Amino acid sequence: MGFAERMLRIDRRIIFLVIGLCTLLPLLFPVGLPIKISSEVRGVYDYIDKLPEGSVFLLSLDFDPASKPELYPQAVAILRHAFRKNLRVMAMTLWVSGTGLADQIISQTAKEAGKESGKDYVFLGWSPGGSAVILNMGQDLYTTFPADYDGKATKGLPVLAGVQNLRDVAYAVTLAAGNPGVEAWYVFGKDKYKFELGGGCTGVMAPGLYPLLRSGQINGLIGGLRGAAEYETLVGQKGNAVAGMDAQSATHLAIIVLVAICNVFYFAMLRQQRRHERIGS
Amino acid sequence: MELSFATILGAWVATGLTLFILSFLYEDNPVFKLAEHLYVGVSLGYTIVKTFDTVVMTLIVHPILDKGQWSLLIPVGIGTLMLTRYVPKAAWLSRYAFAFIVGVGAGLAIPRTISSFILKQIEDTVRPLLSIAPGEGVTFTWSLLNPASNLNGIIILIGVVSVLFYFFFSVEHSGPGKLVARAGIMFLMISFGAAFGYTVMARMSLLIGRLTDLIEFSDASYGRPTLWLLLLTVATLIILSRRGNAHPPER
């Protein structure tokens, strides 16, 4: 067996080790590579930034702990921005398994910003029905969520003053890890009740959502950890996402190098085989 | 900062389960299976408890008993019909519930989906290849970075036509047709490549998230669970590997 063939049959655990080291070392010793802001992330940021104080901002945290590394930093960055702009924040989730995490995110960020539940923000929690919840909210918010996550009646909460349904929402952002998520919010929400919609999603979902962005169906898209890092940079409070970008870049570089090396060895092996065949014939 | 017992315990549990799951990268082993089963069990248990509390108690029992909203018994009745699937003689009753759900679901979804995805996307795809600017006449924009530029419009036209032609099997892909089909394959490859690139990025992000937590939990304030549990996981793997070698599986 030649060197090229041996390299192509290398134990996969060595590749795991390389990727692991490429992820771990930049996290321990950050370099601080620059982060370029994309137009899709800026779309969400600019819209929130231009909302007048006291506007109703809906944040739907449609993910569970499995997607926490990508969507948690996005949620924290957006909430920090919304609280800084003194928007009335209405948070909720369409994923039952993400209810606890969503509550943790909003409570911690609100505490950090000195905001009060019921007055500055409300966490509505989860309601059954998936996409049907969006339709119900479009008809009447209070029949869909008669009480917030803490059990307080939603009717009469100062933060929801003047809000009857989704038509009263100035801007909605959904941070989604699957279905129901961005598409459901567009189909059953924005398209029917005519409010502006932005999206955030995991990296896996991002390519599938670009057509919605291009056609203007959503006005911005925060894709994966990279999108979160861009938003953290825009907000000016660097967090987990920015810290992870060095590691992200290092692993991508490692993968590119591995792909290139494998191709070199593959063609070398092919050349070796042809030479052997020529000698044999 | 003094950490509560619950926080420290949570850090130890999270670190242990993360390391157990990551041990699969070395080989399939019992500690990985333990963590996997715990994950499925805990997430299912959480979902059941949360659903029961929110749906059964908050949305059904309390409104009926406390506020006398007896009309809620109608959806409860329709939902209960689904459970008749477990009684073979009465299973036919569940069809009414399914008929209702499928009917409402399809009725709501079909028009909205056609409007949102098919019509809106066609509208966005069918763009003019040249623009008419007031005072400037016919213009052509070259920017690849602007999705609405004329150059991008032409690329999309070529992409859509060639991909559709590639999937059109009633005509033999030969001569000029072969060229168009090949172009379609190229566009598909670029699309799959972009999707795979984003998938790799997402998986690496998950790894970064886990490693960030492991680094945080290696702190003395948590009792260094990362260090101790890493040693425990490695020791377990070595013991399991030795036991496996001592008793090779019978063939």
Side-chain angles (χ1 to χ4, degrees):
Chain A
M1 195 190 289
F3 179 70
E5 206 172 343
R6 250 184 302 164
M7 288 307 289
L8 284 175
R9 288 185 185 182
I10 196 167
D11 193 333
R12 65 196 174 101
R13 284 174 287 201
I14 293 171
I15 296 169
F16 295 157
L17 191 68
V18 170
I19 296 291
L21 286 174
C22 285
T23 316
L24 191 62
L25 291 175
L27 287 174
L28 292 171
F29 311 105
V31 185
L33 292 170
I35 293 160
K36 193 173 168 270
I37 312 296
S38 58
S39 59
E40 50 267 33
V41 175
R42 196 170 276 283
V44 177
Y45 177 85
D46 285 349
Y47 202 90
I48 294 179
D49 214 49
K50 282 176 190 158
L51 284 174
E53 206 168 285
S55 304
V56 181
F57 170 61
L58 172 69
L59 182 66
S60 190
L61 302 141
D62 305 324
F63 60 93
D64 60 5
S67 316
K68 187 184 165 192
E70 288 183 283
L71 295 171
Y72 180 94
Q74 290 184 17
V76 171
I78 287 180
L79 281 171
R80 279 176 177 164
H81 190 199
F83 284 138
R84 193 185 297 168
K85 293 289 299 175
N86 291 322
L87 303 179
R88 286 191 281 158
V89 177
M90 209 164 92
M92 57 171 287
T93 178
L94 294 174
W95 286 38
V96 62
S97 49
T99 322
L101 180 63
D103 179 47
Q104 187 199 339
I105 293 169
I106 186 128
S107 317
Q108 279 181 1
T109 321
K111 195 177 164 189
E112 173 196 302
K115 299 290 177 182
E116 200 184 311
S117 173
K119 188 175 150 231
D120 305 303
Y121 77 95
V122 60
F123 179 52
L124 299 168
W126 171 79
S127 186
S131 309
V133 173
I134 304 169
L135 284 170
N136 288 347
M137 286 176 79
Q139 302 294 326
D140 185 5
L141 179 75
Y142 302 102
T143 53
T144 322
F145 290 102
D148 70 359
Y149 188 67
D150 298 326
K152 276 185 280 182
T154 43
K155 216 157 205 171
L157 283 178
V159 66
L160 295 175
V163 181
Q164 197 55 44
N165 52 43
L166 286 179
R167 287 184 204 275
D168 302 315
V169 169
Y171 189 47
V173 172
T174 161
L175 304 179
N179 194 29
V182 180
E183 285 162 337
W185 272 104
Y186 176 75
V187 174
F188 300 103
K190 181 187 171 178
D191 198 29
K192 195 168 164 63
Y193 301 108
K194 313 295 175 201
F195 53 85
E196 194 52 85
L197 179 70
C201 63
T202 58
V204 177
M205 288 171 63
L209 292 173
Y210 268 86
L212 296 187
L213 185 71
R214 212 191 99 89
S215 59
Q217 288 166 289
I218 51 175
N219 79 333
L221 182 67
I222 309 169
L225 193 69
R226 196 200 67 174
E230 289 175 32
Y231 210 97
E232 281 180 358
T233 311
L234 282 168
V235 174
Q237 271 182 290
K238 293 184 178 177
N240 286 347
V242 169
M245 284 322 283
D246 285 345
Q248 186 82 266
S249 307
T251 50
H252 286 188
L253 192 68
I255 289 166
I256 292 167
V257 170
L258 284 169
V259 168
I261 289 176
C262 280
N263 276 280
V264 169
F265 285 132
Y266 175 75
F267 284 110
M269 197 184 73
L270 218 64
R271 215 172 129 188
Q272 215 171 16
Q273 274 176 354
R274 279 190 197 143
R275 199 184 302 154
H276 283 303
E277 278 168 15
R278 229 177 291 142
I279 294 165
S281 63
Chain B
M1 191 179 69
E2 194 75 14
L3 295 169
S4 67
F5 174 72
T7 310
I8 294 171
L9 182 70
W12 277 79
V13 172
T15 307
L17 294 177
T18 302
L19 290 169
F20 290 174
I21 289 281
L22 288 176
S23 70
F24 181 77
L25 294 174
Y26 179 69
E27 65 179 17
D28 196 359
N29 63 76
V31 289
F32 163 73
K33 285 200 173 84
L34 171 78
E36 190 187 28
H37 293 161
L38 266 175
Y39 173 75
V40 174
V42 168
S43 57
L44 193 66
Y46 180 82
T47 304
I48 290 170
V49 170
K50 211 74 210 156
T51 308
F52 180 81
D53 182 52
T54 313
V55 180
V56 179
M57 298 311 291
T58 311
L59 293 176
I60 298 169
V61 175
H62 290 314
I64 290 176
L65 297 183
D66 302 343
K67 296 173 188 168
Q69 294 178 359
W70 297 101
S71 60
L72 285 173
L73 287 174
I74 298 168
V76 170
I78 294 172
T80 313
L81 287 181
M82 279 197 188
L83 299 175
T84 58
R85 296 295 298 174
Y86 297 109
V87 186
K89 280 188 180 171
W92 60 274
L93 282 167
S94 66
R95 290 181 195 157
Y96 289 103
F98 282 117
F100 183 80
I101 287 165
V102 171
V104 171
L108 286 172
I110 292 171
R112 301 238 63 82
T113 308
I114 291 174
S115 149
S116 303
F117 294 125
I118 301 175
L119 300 180
K120 276 275 179 189
Q121 287 302 314
I122 289 176
E123 188 186 315
D124 184 54
T125 307
V126 186
R127 280 172 181 273
L129 300 179
L130 293 167
S131 312
I132 298 175
E136 290 177 34
V138 178
T139 56
F140 187 86
T141 44
W142 293 90
S143 173
L144 274 171
L145 297 174
N146 177 13
S149 77
N150 302 114
L151 182 63
N152 277 322
I154 289 178
I155 293 171
I156 284 169
L157 172 76
I158 297 168
V160 170
V161 170
S162 58
V163 170
L164 286 177
F165 185 82
Y166 171 68
F167 286 110
F168 191 68
F169 301 116
S170 302
V171 176
E172 198 182 339
H173 294 172
S174 58
K178 191 178 175 182
L179 193 73
V180 179
R182 278 281 163 104
I185 293 172
M186 292 301 289
F187 274 97
L188 285 172
M189 290 295 147
I190 292 167
S191 149
F192 295 150
F196 182 67
Y198 264 104
T199 307
V200 169
M201 187 175 87
R203 300 299 172 231
M204 289 304 131
S205 302
L206 298 184
L207 180 64
I208 291 165
R210 289 294 76 220
L211 291 183
T212 307
D213 282 356
L214 289 182
I215 291 168
E216 189 191 332
F217 297 148
S218 64
D219 195 71
S221 58
Y222 292 98
R224 302 194 192 283
T226 306
L227 187 70
W228 295 116
L229 290 169
L230 181 66
L231 289 173
L232 178 77
T233 311
V234 172
T236 311
L237 286 176
I238 291 169
I239 292 166
L240 288 169
S241 167
R242 291 230 169 135
R243 276 179 60 187
N245 288 341
H247 307 286
E250 285 178 22
R251 286 172 189 264

